[in-house]
Amino acid sequence: MFAAFLAALTDLAGVGLLATAAWLIARAAERPPLIALSVAIVAVRTLAIGKGTLRYVERLVGHDAALRVLAKLRTRVYATLSAGGTSLPHGDLLARLVSDVDGVQDALLRCAIPAGVAVLVAVATVGFTAAYLPAAALVLATGMLLAGLVLPVAAYAIAAGAARRTATVRGGYLAASVDVLHGAADLAAFGATGTALARARDESTGLARLTRAAGTAGSAVGAVSVPVPALTAVGVCLLATRAPGLNPVMVAVLSLVALAAVEAVLPLTGAAVRLADLRGSLERVRALLRQGSAPAGSLRVRDGITVDGPVEASVLSGPVDIRLDGVSARYADDRELALDRLDLDLPAGRRVAVVGPSGAGKSTLLGVLAGTVPPAAGTVAVNARTEEPAQRWRIAGGVLADGYVFHATMRENLTLGRPGLPDGQLLDALRTAGLRSAPEDLDRTLGEDGAQVSGGQRQRLLLARALLAPPPVLLLDEPTEGLDPAAADEVLGQALAAVPGHTVVLVTHRLADLSAFDEVLVLADGRVAQRGRHADLLTEPGWYADWARGGDLQTWRSTVT
């Protein structure tokens, strides 16, 4: 708001400079005493210096405000990604995190501020003109409405459709490009390099075509707007010359004020085109942040039908009870259910281990609890309350398969969204997670998408991050990957001891002692095959007992009733 006010003062200083200079020249032509011109001479100098100074201060204030908003927004996006709060492809995430988030800055600087300037300048100049000649003020108001409202609305309407498609296609193009760059070895191994390159080329061609269309539309409307200031000034001049009793000097002043005022609102046409171009980006950022929100005390999803009503996740910072009743879920467009009518009761503080063959639905269950996989049917209730329904929530998080490791230092990856944590606390969290690191390791860059760490180290880094600020429901997807059995059991025990009172859901594929868990859930083909405590399941015939004896687990299938 303050930046818009300064920008308006800058433009008004320009209008005043032009009007004062016109008055000075016209009045000097009448050869008055020099003392009659001294005030105008000082005013011209003052307005000329003031315009430049105000413009400089306005740019500083405007960019400072935009960058602060951008920093806060990017931190929120990072926090959403760090919790594994999205299943979007990395290329699409790159588009949202970089170009789409940067679009928010453009929306402030190139759209919001010009709109505020136009309103203030219009009120001031139309009021000034009306004080001398109401009819001329009406002509000026008409010109400003045309340049500041009609043409921008038309430009927005023309560019909006192309802009929405451009934002989506840009995400597809970046996704295809990242696939080609990061998956080059796999694509070559399967002979799919040509297909991937063709897809990226098609996405690039489509993006270029849409960008040209949007540029052409903006240029056409911009060309129409160019003569509007001159025509408005001519209209005011004709009325002023015919007005009885109006000083000829004021004819020049009012004409030039009209010219400068309409020119001050002309940037709204470009701002409207830019806003249309940014609309898709802003919606995509909003959708990403919506995945990191939580309902005010409850959540209800029934038969895949949801209603949005999210608030900040901090609302549910205390104990949380979750109940899944008959929940079915599938990934993307898969027809087969990854989860089939699953029931699960998770009162606050309960600890559940989930085991089963590959493809049994274990990761899908974590996705449902994390809010990244919406149920296709059934009910998910939080705290046994049904108001404030929403599809995605942020009460659960932790070590998920798609948890993001950023191209930053280990310290920055650990303190994401929580700056200022002492090094001792960070090193303790790393040791608890099984990563024994020296203080200097905290400043080591981990590479793009954590390329400098192994898969097991990545999981334990995510575990350390989760332990620094554990959510009410801690989800662990094989957090001890890459460790020998004894070390893995030790790390798991340390992690559980570090989060007393927190609900924990563990997915594991390795033989482990799960006696510390309240319930062990055995999944097969998306259904519950067995459930109970570790000691009880060891004595029952079935998958769990076979698993403990080291049987052929992948070919095992239990009869699910």
Side-chain angles (χ1 to χ4, degrees):
M1 181 63 72
F2 186 52
F5 178 71
L6 289 175
L9 287 182
T10 302
D11 283 358
L12 287 174
V15 173
L17 175 61
L18 187 61
T20 305
W23 185 92
L24 179 61
I25 294 172
R27 187 75 176 89
E30 297 175 349
R31 298 184 179 182
L34 184 61
I35 191 66
L37 303 177
S38 59
V39 174
I41 294 171
V42 173
V44 167
R45 292 178 177 176
T46 302
L47 288 171
I49 295 173
K51 180 182 178 182
T53 304
L54 286 171
R55 180 65 71 192
Y56 177 74
V57 175
E58 176 261 319
R59 292 291 169 84
L60 285 180
V61 172
H63 283 79
D64 176 69
L67 290 173
R68 281 190 283 108
V69 169
L70 204 62
K72 292 179 180 178
L73 177 60
R74 187 156 280 141
T75 299
R76 288 186 61 190
V77 173
Y78 283 163
T80 298
L81 298 180
S82 70
T86 178
S87 56
L88 295 170
H90 286 181
D92 196 7
L93 281 177
L94 180 65
R96 298 187 190 218
L97 189 59
V98 180
S99 59
D100 289 347
V101 172
D102 284 345
V104 175
Q105 177 178 269
D106 268 9
L108 291 174
L109 295 177
R110 298 179 58 181
C111 302
I113 290 179
V117 169
V119 172
L120 293 176
V121 170
V123 171
T125 55
V126 171
F128 173 81
T129 304
Y132 290 93
L133 189 61
L138 182 61
V139 173
L140 175 58
T142 302
M144 297 196 77
L145 283 174
L146 181 61
L149 183 62
V150 176
L151 289 176
V153 169
Y156 181 87
I158 293 172
R164 282 192 297 269
R165 293 190 296 271
T166 298
T168 301
V169 172
R170 184 187 297 116
Y173 165 66
L174 287 173
S177 300
V178 170
D179 288 345
V180 170
L181 291 173
H182 288 268
D186 292 336
L187 291 172
F190 287 93
T193 302
T195 302
L197 288 173
R199 178 192 165 209
R201 189 161 42 248
D202 291 343
E203 295 283 359
S204 174
T205 302
L207 179 60
R209 183 175 63 253
L210 290 174
T211 303
R212 282 195 299 269
T216 300
S219 299
V221 177
V224 173
S225 67
V226 169
V228 175
L231 293 176
T232 303
V234 169
V236 170
C237 182
L238 291 176
L239 285 175
T241 53
R242 296 176 182 178
L246 188 65
N247 190 319
V249 173
M250 289 308 301
V251 173
V253 170
L254 293 179
S255 300
L256 291 177
V257 164
L259 179 67
V262 178
E263 284 185 343
V265 302
L266 276 184
L268 283 183
T269 300
V273 174
R274 183 58 180 157
L275 181 61
D277 184 50
L278 293 174
R279 181 180 175 184
S281 297
L282 298 178
E283 289 176 349
R284 285 153 54 84
V285 172
R286 190 179 299 115
L288 183 61
L289 293 178
R290 194 178 297 125
Q291 296 180 13
S293 59
S298 64
L299 177 147
R300 177 69 60 164
V301 182
R302 185 177 295 280
D303 296 333
I305 300 175
T306 63
V307 181
D308 288 331
V311 296
E312 290 300 320
S314 57
V315 175
L316 289 178
S317 58
V320 173
D321 298 327
I322 301 179
R323 182 173 180 81
L324 279 63
D325 289 318
V327 168
S328 297
R330 56 172 58 89
Y331 273 126
D333 297 328
D334 293 345
R335 293 187 177 181
E336 294 186 6
L337 291 175
L339 289 180
D340 189 2
R341 293 168 293 178
L342 183 139
D343 297 328
L344 179 62
D345 191 15
L346 286 174
R350 188 172 181 81
R351 298 184 170 186
V352 175
V354 184
V355 298
S358 297
K362 301 185 296 296
S363 296
T364 304
L365 174 58
L366 289 187
V368 170
L369 292 172
T372 59
V373 178
T379 300
V380 180
V382 175
N383 289 346
R385 295 170 59 180
T386 59
E387 64 270 23
E388 298 285 354
Q391 178 175 341
R392 297 182 186 276
W393 58 98
R394 296 277 12 112
I395 59 172
V399 186
L400 301 178
D402 57 355
Y404 207 83
V405 176
F406 294 94
H407 186 18
T409 64
M410 182 179 292
R411 183 196 312 277
E412 291 167 326
N413 272 279
L414 289 171
T415 62
L416 196 58
R418 302 178 298 276
L421 292 180
D423 288 359
Q425 187 175 351
L426 301 181
L427 293 172
D428 287 343
L430 288 171
R431 279 192 291 271
T432 301
L435 278 176
R436 301 195 177 275
S437 302
E440 56 269 21
D441 292 336
L442 293 175
D443 296 315
R444 179 167 61 93
T445 301
L446 301 184
E448 186 176 352
D449 197 17
Q452 300 301 316
V453 295
S454 67
Q457 291 172 329
R458 176 195 187 96
Q459 291 296 90
R460 295 194 292 282
L461 175 65
L462 295 175
L463 176 59
R465 178 195 291 170
L467 294 177
L468 285 169
V473 181
L474 182 62
L475 308 178
L476 304 177
D477 190 353
E478 201 60 79
T480 58
E481 180 182 350
L483 293 176
D484 63 80
D489 287 341
E490 180 183 359
V491 168
L492 182 58
Q494 293 174 170
L496 293 176
V499 288
H502 285 258
T503 303
V504 178
V505 180
L506 167 73
V507 163
T508 183
H509 305 84
R510 69 176 189 86
L511 190 62
D513 181 4
L514 303 179
S515 57
F517 288 82
D518 301 307
E519 183 181 30
V520 176
L521 200 68
V522 180
L523 292 184
D525 297 329
R527 298 185 181 184
V528 177
Q530 292 178 284
R531 65 193 319 160
R533 293 189 64 86
H534 167 75
D536 297 331
L537 291 178
L538 287 177
T539 62
E540 296 179 6
W543 189 91
Y544 197 78
D546 290 347
W547 183 48
R549 289 191 294 267
D552 187 0
L553 307 182
Q554 287 306 115
T555 60
W556 178 91
R557 289 292 183 270
S558 176
T559 302
V560 181
T561 58

